Amino acid sequence: MQTPERIIRLKTVLTRTGLSRSTIYRKIAEGTFPAQLKISTNGAGWRESDINRWVADPPRWRAPDETVVDRF
């Protein structure tokens, strides 16, 4: 059985990335950091796997819908 996806909150994201809150939101707007998911009326979080991918290689991380397609 596959492990369910964990959702982590801002405080954990700040700790794991070493970025400030304002830098995270700026990078989200630029498309260079994973966007949050709405998890309740007033709450949001991030998929842990998305943050782990970003931490592993920040310069190469891109949002899934921004993949580059080779043209022949």
Side-chain angles (χ1 to χ4, degrees), residues 18-30:
L19 300 174
S20 69
R21 182 177 192 262
S22 59
T23 299
I24 287 173
Y25 289 112
R26 180 177 45 82
K27 287 182 165 295
I28 290 170
E30 293 170 351

Side-chain angles (χ1 to χ4, degrees), residues 2 13 61:
Q2 195 174 25
V13 173
W61 187 92

